[in-house]
Amino acid sequence: MSPIYNGMPARELGAEGWHKPWSGGNGGNCIEAMKLADGRIAVRQSSDPDGPALIYTPAEIAAFIQGAKSGQADFLLT
């Protein structure tokens, strides 16, 4: 496999292992995430599975989730 980098085509990470933890009533358009072998997390848009994958460290994902839970991302909803 080629080196994994931020913005790489998500298709290069393969089709297996993607999950839709945040899907909801939005017509099937949602975020998909995959835990990589080295512990990092890849995120892609489900409606564009061949588009870019954003690659995050476990600490970055944890900070985002904890911040969202505490309301720090609520401004995105208004």
Side-chain angles (χ1 to χ4, degrees):
M1 177 182 276
S2 335
I4 295 174
Y5 60 93
N6 198 29
M8 70 184 294
R11 72 179 167 280
E12 292 182 17
L13 295 171
E16 300 297 317
W18 291 99
H19 299 277
K20 294 181 182 181
W22 301 287
S23 69
N26 56 6
N29 292 321
C30 54
I31 300 290
E32 294 179 319
M34 172 196 290
K35 190 163 188 180
L36 303 172
D38 65 3
R40 292 181 295 167
I41 294 91
V43 177
R44 71 179 182 185
Q45 175 62 33
S46 67
S47 64
D48 187 14
D50 292 331
L54 299 177
I55 310 297
Y56 297 98
T57 66
E60 290 169 326
I61 289 293
F64 174 77
I65 292 171
Q66 291 165 357
K69 284 182 175 181
S70 72
Q72 294 177 31
D74 287 356
F75 72 95
L76 296 169
L77 301 175
T78 59

